[in-house]
Amino acid sequence: MSVLESPVAATPPRTRPASAAARKRTRGPLVMIGVTVVIVFCLAPFYWMVVSSFRRTSDIFDKSALPSPWSLENYTAVFDPDQGFLRSMANSLVVAGTTTALALVIATLTAYAMARLDFPFKRLVLTGIIATSMFPVVSIVVPLLKLFTDWDWINTYQAMVAPSLSFALPLAVWILTAFFRQIPIELEQAAMIDGCTQGQAFRRIVLPLAAPGVFTTAIITFVAAWNEFLIALSMTNDAAMQTAPVAISKFTGASQFETPFGSQMAAGVLVTIPLVVLVVVFQRRIVDGLTAGAVK
């Protein structure tokens, strides 16, 4: 039998699977639909808050897509000196900024040590660190309130910064530890061969390479501290020390039986704007930090 007449040559060709281009054409619209649904789901509450903030008090329960007529009545009420909103915004900035700065300094040094040092039960220590952030805030508010009362810390910034720091640090340490592990230790060793000390190698080599991770951690910490409510509500009873979320919850209307929904919506917009601007301006660094190390 010749080669051309062999059974192998007579075997019919296998059916080819669908081409990659066809799969891509099918998957593309589904991805776009999914992304659109997520965007609408996330932005719809903010859109309704913005629209409601421009309605008159008499129209606050109107269900139209746009205010008719447009009004700045709610924003005027927010900036009424009796509300103390500007002071509360400044308090939020102090608390969130201090919490972020302290968390970055402590977490950077801790994460570097966790990434470079070898010691028994290191994985267990890391697990314990992240586990401490899983306790609900309400479970520690009462003990902290008693402790801070004994220390005369009520109505002080440290009474709000210290508890916020205890929740921000574990996550910051966990994120930064992963970043430091991705930086080859050979780079530090090469720097020390060239005359750098361990500290100089850390400052000049490691920190610049870990900058995306540090920046991303800073944004996450700042947003969490800026939005914190329960601790600030429990540790302050002086209107001059309240943060913005607490001040908004205590807005008063024309009478004690009226809830100023319009003013609260306007204040919510003003509180959200700094975070939106922060993310938009630094979005490239945030994306770099979130995706660093994804591809080797």
Side-chain angles (χ1 to χ4, degrees):
M1 181 181 295
S2 65
V3 177
L4 295 177
E5 297 177 354
S6 63
V8 175
T11 303
R14 297 180 179 178
T15 303
R16 292 184 178 181
S19 64
R23 291 196 300 269
K24 186 176 181 179
R25 287 195 300 269
T26 304
R27 187 167 58 244
L30 295 178
V31 172
M32 291 302 299
I33 293 174
V35 171
T36 303
V37 170
V38 171
I39 292 175
V40 171
F41 179 80
C42 294
L43 293 183
F46 184 72
Y47 165 78
W48 195 252
M49 180 173 66
V50 173
V51 169
S52 299
S53 69
F54 286 102
R55 299 187 192 277
R56 298 177 301 181
T57 302
S58 57
D59 301 330
I60 195 63
F61 294 109
D62 190 0
K63 297 181 180 180
S64 59
L66 293 174
S68 181
W70 291 75
S71 173
L72 295 177
E73 173 186 333
N74 296 318
Y75 289 92
T76 302
V78 167
F79 289 108
D80 188 335
D82 294 337
Q83 300 285 15
F85 181 70
L86 292 179
R87 171 70 182 186
S88 67
M89 288 280 285
N91 292 336
S92 290
L93 183 61
V94 171
V95 173
T98 304
T99 302
T100 302
L102 292 176
L104 283 183
V105 172
I106 299 174
T108 299
L109 298 176
T110 304
Y112 179 72
M114 297 296 295
R116 290 291 185 257
L117 299 180
D118 290 326
F119 54 88
F121 308 110
K122 184 169 74 170
R123 184 175 295 274
L124 183 61
V125 172
L126 275 174
T127 303
I129 290 175
I130 195 64
T132 58
S133 66
M134 297 181 182
F135 290 99
V137 179
V138 68
S139 66
I140 67 171
V141 165
V142 174
L144 286 178
L145 184 60
K146 177 64 171 63
L147 180 65
F148 291 164
T149 301
D150 296 338
W151 290 357
D152 293 328
W153 275 19
I154 301 301
N155 292 319
T156 62
Y157 288 127
Q158 58 265 31
M160 293 179 280
V161 171
S164 298
L165 189 62
S166 66
F167 286 96
L169 265 179
L171 182 60
V173 170
W174 186 270
I175 294 175
L176 290 177
T177 299
F179 275 96
F180 286 131
R181 281 178 174 173
Q182 295 166 5
I183 300 175
I185 194 173
E186 290 79 10
L187 296 177
E188 299 171 64
Q189 294 172 347
M192 287 186 284
I193 291 175
D194 290 337
C196 289
T197 63
Q198 182 79 33
Q200 290 173 336
F202 173 71
R203 294 193 307 271
R204 298 179 181 180
I205 304 299
V206 177
L207 277 183
L209 293 175
V214 174
F215 198 90
T216 302
T217 304
I219 294 295
I220 295 174
T221 303
F222 184 87
V223 171
W226 180 270
N227 292 329
E228 200 286 318
F229 175 76
L230 185 57
I231 293 174
L233 176 65
S234 304
M235 302 303 168
T236 59
N237 51 37
D238 184 359
M241 293 301 299
Q242 292 173 351
T243 58
V246 177
I248 293 173
S249 69
K250 294 186 177 182
F251 275 1
T252 56
S255 67
Q256 61 177 336
F257 303 106
E258 178 185 353
T259 302
F261 294 111
S263 299
Q264 290 177 342
M265 293 291 184
V269 172
L270 295 174
V271 169
T272 307
I273 286 176
L275 302 182
V276 174
V277 173
L278 193 65
V279 173
V280 170
V281 172
F282 298 106
Q283 60 178 330
R284 178 173 298 179
R285 288 183 174 270
I286 296 173
V287 172
D288 290 343
L290 293 174
T291 59
V295 180
K296 294 186 177 180

